[in-house]
Amino acid sequence: MPAGGLLPLFSSPAGSGLGGGLGGGLGGGRKGSGPAAFRLTEKFVLLLVFSAFITLCFGAIFFLPDSSKLLSGVLFHSSPALQPPADRKPGPGARAEDAADGRARRGEEGAPGDPAAALEDNLARIRENHERALREAKETLQKLPEEIQRDILMEKEKVAQDQLSSRVGFKMLPPVDLAPLVGAIDREPADATIREKREKIKEMMKHAWNNYKRYAWGKNELKPVSKGGHSSSLFGNIQGATIVDALDTLFIMKMKDEFEEAKAWVDENLNFNMNAEVSVFEVNIRFVGGLISAYYLSGEEIFRKKAVELGVKLLPAFHTPSGIPWALLNIKSGIGRNWPWASGGSSILAEFGTLHLEFIHLSYLSGNPIFADKVMNIRTVLNNLEKPQGLYPNYLNPNSGQWAQYHVSVGGLGDSFYEYLLKAWLMSDKTDLQAKKMYFDAIKAIETHLIRKSRNGLTYIAEWKGGLLEHKMGHLTCFAGGMFALGADNAPEGLTQHYLQLGAEIARTCHESYNRTFAKLGPEAFRFDGGVEAIATRQNEKYYILRPEVVETYMYMWRLTHDPKYRKWAWEAVEALEKHCRVKGGYSGLRDVYFHKESYDDVQQSFFLAETLKYLYLIFSDDDLLPLEHWIFNTEAHLLPVLSRDIKKVEVNEK
């Protein structure tokens, strides 16, 4: 190659130095052969090379799996304030952005609103997304092209089959032969005092409902102090949580006009066709459960139609490698994800384990087995896993199908999974023997490793973290007293009285947590260490958000023992609610149950109408109202009938 072809890359301006002299001599006077022309050409070539390099680098990133997450997390470093909110609330486990937001599951890595914790969550999420993207890219590159193509086709086929099954199940709802209702409407209690107390609880329901209707109609929940609507991010853009949650309570309290106006709102306004990211767990227990319950009680077809429609919307949450569903789902796009704080983006035991009852009924009501198939697969995954010490950790990775960190709780993050094992067996008319075995095996391990007695004889359920006990019990854990008692009659030989007694001991401990506060209402969590028993020692555990778990246990203990102390304790709770939580605009939670002056959180939770008031009403009703041998309560206290063994199995529509 002539020297002049290389030297212009390094040349000085024309006429100076080596490049200038050689370029001028060799080039003669031809146009375009001088040093300036060579510089322009080579600059253009360099620009092309550089552009190709940049395109190759960025193209590689965009072709990596989950590239959108990688780009948003690694390249742009968005601040915590710009991230999708992970609903949190103070306390030990579970549900909502803060004390006002209800029951969204959360981690325990930092206090709500803590910038350091939020930053750490964000950095952990970026690292996790980056590592997962690189890992998936490496796995993909190791596959043969035909394997990659086969995987893509199989995934497309799976999604198409689910969509087809969903459409068939929704558009072709079969006739359902509703059995005569057993105990949906009762007579007035014979005892005048009991009748008067029950009427008072009905008046509380009217006060809560009328103020919701006056100040927040159509919104998810009521702000009773500021008198406006409140919407948690748990429901995305779906509205009307209080209306759907209250349907069956209105029905059994014979509030007929209110039930009819609620039904009309559901028919005209309840809409699921929107771009909304929702909590699969919360939408299932409140909306799906509430609609199914209203259908069985009233026979109104609109409730069945809406329940199945929403169930279909939730199905894409199960599109994970293991079939363990995502916690959060955009019901328009079908894109799911998990809470970023949940142990490296894991699914949560109490969330994916609390779909079974509703999805079994969705299959029955739609004639489509897809719903039952999804939740039975969860059972299969769990049964194939080793359980540390027989316990079920709270976190499960939906991609690998393996446990994440070994944190075990019967309160927040774990609670309703165990409840649904027992109730799945009972709801099957005691034919689901797999659920029965899983339940009794689980509570045997819980009793061995988690249940302890305080120095003064209070029985409590601690939390287990990698083999170490944290001697803390949450308000959510107090449901377990009723669970132990409900399952006692069918316990392994010789253990019936033992589990009934265990339920009574848990009920006593939870009553003590109420009795040791100024408000006579229980804190979100209470501890048994440092000489303290059944008392909250941390400020972010002292609030009360109208929770139902303690009166739920009172209801089961009353029904199963008829010990009058449970009615006495329930009435104490009624008096405390009236004195400390009732305001002109409804009922509000408290920020500190130990503080002598009320500090309201200004939220009337939808579950106050669905659960707390319903359980109180049932305690002061005769046992023939919703007898336990015919009805199962989901974890939001919505009513699901026992599917008698005489009912034929769901018929698959081959079309």
Side-chain angles (χ1 to χ4, degrees):
M1 179 181 288
L6 291 172
L7 292 174
L9 269 145
F10 312 99
S11 66
S12 306
S16 65
L18 181 63
L22 286 173
L26 291 171
R30 293 180 58 186
K31 186 177 180 181
S33 61
F38 275 104
R39 282 200 303 275
L40 182 61
T41 303
E42 293 298 350
K43 284 180 180 178
F44 182 68
V45 171
L46 276 176
L47 182 61
L48 286 177
V49 172
F50 184 73
S51 300
F53 178 76
I54 294 299
T55 303
L56 179 63
C57 291
F58 276 84
I61 292 176
F62 278 102
F63 280 107
L64 285 174
D66 210 11
S67 59
S68 60
K69 293 182 181 178
L70 180 63
L71 287 171
S72 63
V74 177
L75 298 180
F76 303 127
H77 294 282
S78 54
S79 67
L82 298 178
Q83 297 296 323
D87 285 9
R88 294 172 177 258
K89 68 169 181 54
R95 310 185 193 183
E97 282 184 299
D98 48 36
D101 258 353
R103 299 187 296 181
R105 303 290 174 182
R106 77 161 187 91
E108 302 188 37
E109 289 75 21
D114 182 354
L119 179 60
E120 181 61 30
D121 281 351
N122 192 40
L123 292 174
R125 182 165 57 253
I126 291 170
R127 285 193 297 269
E128 177 207 343
N129 289 339
H130 180 58
E131 291 169 1
R132 183 171 66 248
L134 293 176
R135 186 170 59 252
E136 290 176 351
K138 182 178 179 181
E139 291 172 357
T140 302
L141 290 172
Q142 290 174 346
K143 292 182 179 180
L144 296 173
E146 53 268 27
E147 290 180 317
I148 297 173
Q149 185 68 21
R150 187 178 66 248
D151 290 346
I152 293 171
L153 291 174
M154 287 176 62
E155 183 63 25
K156 285 183 177 180
E157 183 181 354
K158 178 183 176 184
V159 172
Q161 286 176 347
D162 282 352
Q163 290 175 342
L164 177 62
S165 298
S166 302
R167 287 195 298 270
V168 171
F170 172 56
K171 292 181 179 178
M172 304 179 64
L173 295 183
V176 173
D177 185 18
L178 286 177
L181 294 178
V182 178
I185 301 294
D186 72 329
R187 59 181 182 273
E188 294 290 319
D191 185 290
T193 303
I194 299 300
R195 190 165 61 245
E196 181 181 345
K197 289 180 176 179
R198 191 173 86 149
E199 196 59 33
K200 171 60 184 174
I201 296 164
K202 182 176 179 178
E203 185 277 330
M204 294 169 70
M205 179 67 180
K206 288 181 177 179
H207 180 67
W209 177 263
N210 289 339
N211 279 286
Y212 168 76
K213 181 182 175 183
R214 183 177 297 116
Y215 300 116
W217 184 249
K219 302 296 183 184
N220 280 320
E221 291 166 320
L222 165 68
K223 287 179 173 287
V225 177
S226 53
K227 297 179 180 176
H230 172 260
S231 286
S232 166
S233 60
L234 297 171
F235 312 116
N237 297 327
I238 298 176
Q239 295 295 315
T242 292
I243 295 173
V244 177
D245 242 356
L247 281 165
D248 50 10
T249 307
L250 294 171
F251 190 93
I252 67 171
M253 289 187 180
K254 304 174 192 172
M255 296 171 64
K256 296 180 180 179
D257 292 341
E258 292 85 349
F259 181 84
E260 287 300 320
E261 63 191 3
K263 183 188 80 173
W265 186 92
V266 168
D267 191 9
E268 297 167 10
N269 299 289
L270 186 58
N271 178 26
F272 307 127
N273 296 314
M274 55 185 60
N275 186 14
E277 185 180 65
V278 303
S279 163
V280 175
F281 163 75
E282 294 286 354
V283 166
N284 175 65
I285 65 172
R286 302 199 203 198
F287 283 89
V288 177
L291 291 165
I292 292 175
S293 177
Y295 172 68
Y296 280 120
L297 290 170
S298 69
E300 296 286 351
E301 187 65 22
I302 184 60
F303 297 129
R304 177 168 72 134
K305 179 178 178 238
K306 291 286 186 182
V308 175
E309 179 187 354
L310 181 53
V312 169
K313 293 280 188 182
L314 297 180
L315 286 174
F318 294 85
H319 292 161
T320 66
S322 65
I324 298 296
W326 300 112
L328 301 169
L329 178 73
N330 185 303
I331 58 175
K332 180 178 181 180
S333 68
I335 296 174
R337 68 183 179 101
N338 277 334
W339 302 107
W341 48 261
S343 187
S346 293
S347 298
I348 296 169
L349 183 68
E351 295 195 338
F352 67 77
T354 310
L355 304 170
H356 194 97
L357 304 184
E358 297 83 1
F359 273 52
I360 292 295
H361 272 281
L362 283 175
S363 275
Y364 175 64
L365 294 176
S366 69
N368 192 325
I370 188 171
F371 302 102
D373 290 345
K374 296 298 185 185
V375 291
M376 291 307 295
N377 177 67
I378 293 174
R379 286 256 195 99
T380 301
V381 172
L382 292 175
N383 279 323
N384 287 336
L385 289 172
E386 289 291 327
K387 286 81 177 175
Q389 307 294 326
L391 298 167
Y392 288 83
N394 291 337
Y395 300 109
L396 182 63
N397 188 302
N399 293 309
S400 66
Q402 298 297 316
W403 302 118
Q405 65 179 351
Y406 282 5
H407 173 202
V408 178
S409 169
V410 184
L413 307 178
D415 50 8
S416 45
F417 165 72
Y418 306 99
E419 174 190 359
Y420 271 40
L421 288 179
L422 172 63
K423 290 180 177 178
W425 174 54
L426 296 175
M427 193 179 78
S428 72
D429 205 9
K430 301 182 180 179
T431 60
D432 186 353
L433 299 181
Q434 182 187 51
K436 178 183 180 182
K437 182 181 187 306
M438 291 174 71
Y439 169 73
F440 282 110
D441 287 350
I443 63 171
K444 180 181 179 182
I446 287 167
E447 189 168 10
T448 301
H449 299 288
L450 304 184
I451 295 181
R452 297 291 183 266
K453 269 191 187 293
S454 71
R455 271 184 257 177
N456 292 316
L458 292 179
T459 300
Y460 64 95
I461 308 176
E463 297 191 7
W464 190 80
K465 295 185 176 180
L468 299 176
L469 284 184
E470 183 178 13
H471 297 273
K472 174 188 75 174
M473 185 169 172
H475 194 292
L476 289 164
T477 319
C478 286
F479 89 97
M483 178 182 73
F484 291 137
L486 182 63
D489 190 45
N490 298 281
E493 188 175 352
L495 292 176
T496 294
Q497 192 58 40
H498 168 74
Y499 282 123
L500 200 59
Q501 180 60 32
L502 182 57
E505 291 177 12
I506 296 296
R508 175 176 170 245
T509 298
C510 293
H511 175 257
E512 284 299 312
S513 77
Y514 273 47
N515 206 39
R516 298 179 185 193
T517 70
F518 170 76
K520 303 303 178 186
L521 294 166
E524 183 66 9
F526 43 94
R527 295 182 178 266
F528 296 85
D529 50 29
V532 167
E533 293 190 4
I535 293 176
T537 58
R538 302 181 183 182
Q539 191 58 43
N540 68 349
E541 296 173 349
K542 295 182 178 180
Y543 62 90
Y544 171 73
I545 57 172
L546 308 175
R547 284 206 186 278
E549 290 79 19
V550 173
V551 295
E552 175 185 355
T553 278
Y554 294 168
M555 189 277 292
Y556 282 112
M557 295 307 301
W558 164 253
R559 283 284 182 97
L560 296 168
T561 69
H562 286 167
D563 187 328
K565 72 183 177 189
Y566 297 113
R567 275 184 165 171
K568 176 179 178 293
W569 292 351
W571 190 248
E572 289 173 0
V574 169
E575 292 176 323
L577 287 165
E578 287 294 281
K579 183 176 181 179
H580 297 288
C581 297
R582 183 168 179 147
V583 295
K584 288 184 179 179
Y587 290 87
S588 173
L590 302 173
R591 297 187 186 278
D592 189 338
V593 292
Y594 299 95
F595 194 52
H596 286 226
K597 181 175 175 57
E598 287 85 2
S599 176
Y600 299 114
D601 68 10
D602 196 20
V603 180
Q604 179 177 282
Q605 305 283 350
S606 74
F607 56 74
F608 179 66
L609 291 78
E611 300 184 74
T612 309
L613 292 177
K614 183 188 285 120
Y615 286 132
L616 288 168
Y617 187 81
L618 291 173
I619 291 170
F620 294 96
S621 300
D622 292 341
D623 292 358
D624 59 359
L625 177 59
L626 306 176
L628 298 181
E629 61 268 26
H630 292 286
W631 294 93
I632 299 297
F633 295 88
N634 87 338
T635 199
E636 191 80 4
H638 292 311
L639 301 157
L640 304 172
V642 170
L643 291 173
S644 167
R645 63 185 73 201
D646 296 329
I647 295 176
K648 293 181 180 180
K649 293 183 178 180
V650 174
E651 293 181 1
V652 180
N653 188 331
E654 295 297 339
K655 296 182 182 179

